[in-house]
Amino acid sequence: MKQSNGDSGDTTDSRARPEGVLGGGNAWQWLLLGGLLLTLFYVVIPYGLLASSVYVAASAFAAIAIALAVKYRLQLVRPFAWVLIAGALGLAASGHAVWYWLDLHGLEPFPSVADVFYLSVYPLFMVALWKLGHRSGRDAGALSDALIVGVAAAVPGWALLIDPYLNNPDLSAIQLLVSAAYPVADLILLPLILRLIFLHRARITAHLFLLSGMLAYLVADMLYAHGNSAGWYEPGGMTDGLWLVAYALIVAAIWHPSASVEPYCDVSQVEMSGRRLVVLGTASMLAPTVILLTAGVDVDVVRIAAIGSILLFLLVMHRMAGLMRETHRQADELEKLSRTDPLTGAANRRYLEDALAREISRAQRLDSPLTLAFMDLDYFKRFNDTYGHAAGDELLEELVRLWRSVLRDSDLLARIGGEEFVVVLPDTCSDEAQEVVERMRQSTPRKQTCSAGIARFGPGDTAETFVKRADQAMYAAKHGGRNRVVLI
């Protein structure tokens, strides 16, 4: 019968602007209060023409209120998703009108044209839910976790909501198909909702309303499916009222000022919080629990639970593989950051010290030549004062890119200060080093010049004295008029 699903995204954005200045005012409070009062009125009055009229009117009003918000609210986040939600609630309202008309005229409302409207709601909600989290860059982990919980929920969902229809000999093929379609659609929507929860863990009020409305929809759907199969459902009760509560919450969500706040995902894909671990662990135990409770009683349910257990294992393995890949990637990035200059990508001082120690040891062991150049841009402060520090940063980035094109893969270029660089040239004699450094000097971009000093590693040198001699040669180049290379 009455089926729909909303969207949700539990969202946090510590950088969100104050809600009161984003538009929307207090309209959401009146809309929420009006929706809840209509729900209470519907539940307490006798089921009949008045109750059905209230229900259809409230449903249609919810769709119109969302459409108006999309049209008139400024800076609304994901407006296309909300258009889909408005369309879904409009279809649901049409389904309600058909269902109540058939029921009040003594006609069988199930299955009927109303189910066409109801079932059409689900694809719109699916696309809307996906769009609400589409821009988040950490989707892989959230989607895997949502699928784990969704598959786990599908096992008891099958046992409680779908299997009873399959074993009901009084249902025709079309009745069986339509009856099972609703809980199946709900079980598909559940992972999409959970994905948003895992992606957007903030406390933006609009998204909390949306999430609450979505969950209310799911609970109403499942209560109806169970009540219809067990025979306890009656129209006009709390189950129907729960759908109206969901409408009110979704309308309040889009009209709340914080609906203009962009959800921000600051959760790493590798993060596994304690609460999420408990959720995933509990979900993973659902399928084995169903097997234990139904073993020897319902073979079909046991088979479904066994299939669910296999899928859960595969999803958990996929999630763990994703965690390992992301951990390795972050470890590689940290390793790279620890040895490179963040602006230019050249090696930093720390990496230079380690690399120079290795090259000195190698040169001593193999008795191979090793030279080192100390290079410094001329009048770099004047360049910054004239063109700005941003231009200075661009100059350094371009400089490193051009100098690297002159060097071999085995050579090392390190930035050790603002405009100071050291070049380590293994297996390179003094004359060869002078040619290389001269080409680097000539390739200095933006009509800037540099001074360079070259030293060759000799007996009795340490890393400290080696660098100091090259530094002295560079200062000799500075004192000699700059824009030159000095070899000592």
Side-chain angles (χ1 to χ4, degrees):
M1 189 198 144
K2 307 177 192 69
Q3 303 278 342
S4 293
N5 290 343
D7 330 337
S8 63
D10 178 9
T11 3
T12 76
D13 189 356
S14 59
R15 304 171 300 176
R17 293 169 289 174
E19 294 179 354
V21 299
L22 293 175
N26 296 324
W28 69 272
Q29 297 176 345
W30 295 105
L31 290 168
L32 178 60
L33 179 61
L36 295 178
L37 290 176
L38 276 177
T39 301
L40 180 62
F41 181 66
Y42 171 79
V43 172
V44 298
I45 64 175
Y47 175 67
L49 180 60
L50 177 59
S52 61
S53 300
V54 169
Y55 202 97
V56 173
S59 305
F61 177 77
I64 294 171
I66 294 174
L68 290 174
V70 172
K71 183 174 179 61
Y72 293 110
R73 287 293 309 279
L74 297 178
Q75 299 178 337
L76 184 67
V77 175
R78 308 286 189 275
F80 179 67
W82 286 105
V83 169
L84 294 176
I85 293 171
L89 295 190
L91 289 171
S94 300
H96 297 329
V98 174
W99 194 95
Y100 279 117
W101 187 88
L102 293 173
D103 190 57
L104 292 175
H105 284 78
L107 303 174
E108 175 55 51
F110 176 82
S112 68
V113 176
D115 294 291
V116 176
F117 288 106
Y118 289 142
L119 292 173
S120 299
V121 167
Y122 289 95
L124 297 183
F125 275 110
M126 291 175 188
V127 176
L129 287 168
W130 185 262
K131 288 289 185 182
L132 285 170
H134 182 63
R135 287 182 58 188
S136 300
R138 323 234 169 162
D139 199 22
L143 182 59
S144 294
D145 293 347
L147 287 174
I148 289 173
V149 180
V151 170
V155 174
W158 178 280
L160 296 174
L161 304 177
I162 300 175
D163 190 64
Y165 290 114
L166 299 178
N167 295 319
N168 187 344
D170 297 330
L171 293 179
S172 65
I174 186 63
Q175 288 175 325
L176 174 61
L177 182 63
V178 174
S179 298
Y182 289 113
V184 167
D186 287 331
L187 293 172
I188 294 173
L189 285 172
L190 179 60
L192 295 174
I193 302 168
L194 294 172
R195 168 177 167 264
L196 290 179
I197 297 173
F198 293 148
L199 280 174
H200 305 147
R201 300 184 318 167
R203 292 297 178 265
I204 296 177
T205 306
H207 299 112
L208 290 178
F209 279 141
L210 188 58
L211 170 62
S212 301
M214 190 67 237
L215 293 178
Y217 245 115
L218 283 182
V219 172
D221 283 354
M222 293 178 181
L223 284 175
Y224 169 75
H226 183 267
N228 204 38
S229 64
W232 56 261
Y233 170 78
E234 291 292 338
M238 286 302 301
T239 299
D240 290 351
L242 194 56
W243 276 306
L244 291 183
V245 171
Y247 291 136
L249 290 170
I250 295 174
V251 170
I254 192 172
W255 279 96
H256 194 276
S258 61
S260 297
V261 175
E262 173 73 26
Y264 177 70
C265 178
D266 58 355
V267 183
S268 169
Q269 181 178 327
V270 299
E271 178 179 341
M272 185 67 73
S273 66
R275 284 181 295 180
R276 188 183 297 194
L277 187 61
V278 170
V279 171
L280 296 180
T282 303
S284 298
M285 291 187 292
L286 287 177
T289 301
V290 172
I291 292 176
L292 287 175
L293 295 177
T294 59
V297 179
D298 194 329
V299 176
D300 289 337
V301 172
V302 171
R303 287 173 178 161
I304 293 298
I307 293 172
S309 297
I310 294 172
L311 291 175
L312 283 173
F313 176 78
L314 293 176
L315 286 170
V316 170
M317 292 295 292
H318 177 267
R319 177 63 164 131
M320 293 303 104
L323 290 173
M324 291 177 62
R325 287 193 301 270
E326 184 68 9
T327 300
H328 291 157
R329 184 189 65 79
Q330 291 185 356
D332 291 341
E333 287 184 357
L334 288 174
E335 172 62 22
K336 183 178 179 181
L337 288 173
S338 71
R339 56 187 175 86
T340 59
D341 171 57
L343 174 63
T344 64
N348 58 19
R349 182 185 292 272
R350 176 182 175 183
Y351 186 71
L352 171 65
E353 293 173 353
D354 294 340
L356 185 57
R358 290 194 302 269
E359 292 299 338
I360 290 175
S361 176
R362 177 177 174 274
Q364 291 173 329
R365 186 175 66 254
L366 301 178
D367 194 25
S368 58
L370 175 65
T371 53
L372 183 143
F374 204 111
M375 307 182 69
D376 185 272
L377 283 175
D378 298 327
Y379 304 113
F380 184 65
K381 182 178 184 303
R382 182 189 300 173
F383 182 90
N384 273 340
D385 292 341
T386 303
Y387 300 104
H389 288 280
D393 290 346
E394 292 175 0
L395 170 62
L396 293 174
E397 292 180 82
E398 186 178 356
L399 176 78
V400 168
R401 185 170 64 254
L402 292 173
W403 281 1
R404 274 181 169 167
S405 66
V406 177
L407 299 173
R408 303 167 300 180
D409 291 341
S410 58
D411 301 330
L412 175 67
L413 175 63
R415 182 188 180 202
I416 62 172
E419 69 274 21
E420 295 180 330
F421 295 85
V422 169
V423 185
V424 180
L425 300 165
D427 301 313
T428 306
C429 65
S430 299
D431 292 340
E432 293 172 334
Q434 189 168 9
E435 292 178 6
V436 171
V437 174
E438 182 63 30
R439 290 200 303 270
M440 294 174 67
R441 184 189 67 80
Q442 294 177 4
S443 65
T444 302
R446 306 197 182 191
K447 298 181 181 181
Q448 299 304 299
T449 63
C450 75
S451 302
I454 300 174
R456 175 173 176 174
F457 185 76
D461 261 339
T462 64
E464 182 179 357
T465 59
F466 189 24
V467 173
K468 184 176 182 179
R469 288 197 296 112
D471 188 23
Q472 291 172 343
M474 185 272 294
Y475 274 105
K478 291 279 190 183
H479 294 151
R482 291 183 170 84
N483 193 26
R484 65 192 63 214
V485 178
V486 172
L487 173 64
I488 62 172

